Structure formats: C-alpha cells, structure tokens
Amino acid sequence: MRKAFAAIIATTLVMVAPSAGLAAPNLPTKPIEQKYYADGTWAVSQTVTAANCDSKGSVCDIYYPTNLGAGGFQHPVIVWANGSGTSPIAPATYAFVLRHFASWGFVVIATRDGTTGEGQTVIDSANYMKARNLDSGSVFYNKLDTTKIGSIGHSQGATGAINGMLKSTGIFRTAIAIEIAQQAFCSSTTNCLQTATLTGATSGSIFYIAGSSDGLISPDTQWLGSQLNSNTAYYNATPAALNKVKAILKGPNHNDVQGTPNCPSGLGFCSNGAHGYLGYPTAWMMWQLQGAADGQQAFKASGGEIFTETANWQSVLSNVP
C-alpha cells in the first residue's frame, strides 16, 4: 500500500507544471561555484559496455575524457546511481550532468539498473572499472586511479550511492546524495538508507543536496513521524568523524537534475533545470578525488563560499574544517 501511494504521489509531482515563481535557473554567483559550473578542459566521449557490468545483468554507460591519460594523468572514477523508474533509458536521463563531470577529468560509469538503492550494483560498477584498469585490452588500462572512487545518486540512487560507500569496505572515498527520498517513499528497508546504518559509518564523506520544491519526497526537515528521514536527519545521523555537508538549492523539484541544463519547453518534469547541480557537486568531487583546495574552501564550516551564496542556497550545514 505504501509503495502504491508513493508511486501515485511521485507521478503527480512529476507532472505538475513548473511554477512561474521558480523560473530562476540557479546560475551561480560566486567564484568557486562559477568555476566548476563551467565545463572542464577535457573533451568527452561516451560508450556502452559490451558485457554486463553488474550482478543484475545490466550494461553500463561510461562517460570519459577522450584523451585518456594525457600527460600521465590517472583519472578518478565516479559511479552514478539512477533514480527509481528511470530504467531502461537511464542513464541517458542524466547525460548532461554525467558529461559535465567527465569534462573535469573523471571517468563516470553509470549502470542501467533502475533499482540501485541497496548499493550492490554501485559496488559492482566500481569493481568493473577496477578490472578494466588492469585489462591490457581495455582503453582504460592503467589510465585510472582506482584508489579514488566516488559515488553519486539521485532519489533511490542517492540511497544506493551511500549504501555502496558504506558496504564496500573502503572502495569509495565519498558520496553525493541528490534528492534522497524520505522513508515514506521506500518500497523496502533494503533500498532505503536507515539513519541507524549511518551512525555506524567509520570512513568516507557525504554531501546531501535537495531542491526546496522537493519537500514531499526529499524534505529538508521532518514533516511526519520520527522515522521518515529528512536531509537534516540524515546529516545529523552521519558521524562527526566524516566530512559532511547538507545544502538546499532554492527552487528545484525532485527531477531538476535531469535538465539539460534548462527544462524542455512545455514539459513539467522540472522547474529550474540542472544548473544548480553542476558547480558545487563538481567542486566536492574535485576536492575529495583530485585534491582541489578551492573545492574544500567552498564547504568550510567557517567561511565556506556555499554559506555566502544565498541567492541560490539555503539551510546549509557543514563540519568541513
């Protein structure tokens, strides 16, 4: 019953026409976010794996710098986890954002699995790339830094990105959760992140992001009951020993990350487009996986740029030193 109710509400939310009051596209106004909002210097290619890349038999789409390994560079890896209901066309649904990350030197692998919440196919995808790095017949042979892998996911995939990090015994250094669903929208406890699971985390880091118009599926604070977790509840449950940030983007709804980056004319599945999901998420991964000092500066609990970018961001929490 809860699953059916969730599906009805989610469908209703997707089909609502964009509000005229939410027309601002979240263009960045501060230097660090502006830097990483722009495309990186790497040209990007895309391929689909010839064989299955995960334990559910899915193939994966891979977005990668065309000139792999130029100058001896070893590319960190990002694993993408899809939201519910996006398969079989996912991850094409997120292609704009995935290409953006690849332009900054990351190799991005995205399984076509549409039920990623348990995190296993996220782990499988990471292991697939680790194997390609050791395969002399692969274009990725010796081109990857498989000690630097991060995960990013949307909706159910946000749960999968974090579950993959927590279950992988050190494969992932970090996770970004975009519009993580409160537990009222979970079909089972296995594909939903439990706050009790978070409290036991001993390694990694997490950046929680949601749109202010996504208060139903991914609310900032609790709106019903005590176990229907919100972004703030997830943030608070994440141990202080882990670097963690939570920020709410003004305007977007549950599906804006699928923009290109604007919302297609006449469609109601998004309101602002993907503009706000480019700059700071890229800055986070550049800090966590490529050591970019300005990336860390963006999120510092004292004086971090994201706290001052009040045109587009609100309700920011951070423990970044």
Side-chain angles (χ1 to χ4, degrees):
M1 182 69 167
R2 182 176 64 179
K3 184 176 181 181
F5 172 77
I8 292 170
I9 296 298
T11 301
T12 301
L13 181 65
V14 169
M15 295 307 295
V16 170
S19 167
L22 301 177
N26 300 126
L27 291 173
T29 66
K30 300 292 183 178
I32 299 173
E33 188 181 15
Q34 287 173 333
K35 173 182 175 179
Y36 292 113
Y37 171 85
D39 285 345
T41 59
W42 296 84
V44 176
S45 296
Q46 185 262 341
T47 190
V48 179
T49 60
N52 300 339
C53 63
D54 66 31
S55 52
K56 290 186 180 179
S58 310
V59 296
C60 281
D61 292 62
I62 305 175
Y63 298 83
Y64 61 95
T66 303
N67 193 15
L68 279 165
F73 186 73
Q74 289 192 303
H75 302 271
V77 175
I78 292 174
V79 178
W80 176 265
N82 304 309
S84 303
T86 54
S87 185
I89 62 171
T93 311
Y94 307 99
F96 185 87
V97 171
L98 304 187
R99 285 184 173 275
H100 180 80
F101 279 106
S103 78
W104 282 92
F106 298 100
V107 170
V108 183
I109 181 169
T111 173
R112 294 190 179 181
D113 177 26
T115 53
T116 56
E118 293 182 11
Q120 185 56 54
T121 55
V122 176
I123 296 171
D124 295 339
S125 300
N127 284 329
Y128 179 89
M129 292 312 302
K130 291 177 72 174
R132 301 291 73 72
N133 192 52
L134 299 174
D135 178 2
S136 61
S138 169
V139 296
F140 301 105
Y141 178 56
N142 283 343
K143 300 294 194 307
L144 309 179
D145 186 344
T146 56
T147 69
K148 296 176 181 176
I149 302 178
S151 58
I152 311 176
H154 169 232
S155 192
Q156 182 182 161
T159 286
I162 297 175
N163 275 335
M165 184 185 80
L166 298 179
K167 294 176 180 179
S168 67
T169 62
I171 292 177
F172 295 92
R173 289 196 174 195
T174 191
I176 297 178
I178 299 174
E179 320 296 338
I180 190 168
Q182 63 162 313
Q183 293 179 27
F185 288 88
C186 298
S187 58
S188 73
T189 57
T190 59
N191 69 13
C192 189
L193 181 65
Q194 307 295 310
T195 49
T197 302
L198 277 170
T199 59
T202 58
S203 63
S205 61
I206 306 176
F207 182 16
Y208 299 95
I209 308 170
S212 64
S213 294
D214 192 12
L216 184 62
I217 297 178
S218 185
D220 184 28
T221 55
Q222 302 289 105
W223 64 273
L224 179 66
S226 60
Q227 299 298 320
L228 301 177
N229 299 317
S230 60
N231 282 275
T232 298
Y234 281 124
Y235 175 89
N236 289 337
T238 304
L242 279 62
N243 285 323
K244 57 180 180 176
V245 173
K246 186 269 298 185
I248 303 300
L249 187 61
K250 293 181 180 180
N253 63 31
H254 193 69
N255 297 294
D256 275 285
V257 69
Q258 298 173 340
T260 61
N262 300 303
C263 298
S265 176
L267 295 181
F269 74 93
C270 72
S271 56
N272 286 22
H275 297 282
Y277 300 92
L278 302 177
Y280 284 135
T282 304
W284 179 269
M285 285 299 183
M286 287 295 292
W287 166 38
Q288 292 288 319
L289 302 181
Q290 295 195 37
D294 60 350
Q296 181 177 5
Q297 180 60 49
F299 302 103
K300 284 190 173 183
S302 176
E305 183 187 275
I306 195 171
F307 285 92
T308 70
E309 217 295 16
T310 56
N312 291 310
W313 295 90
Q314 63 187 27
S315 306
V316 179
L317 295 172
S318 172
N319 74 343
V320 173

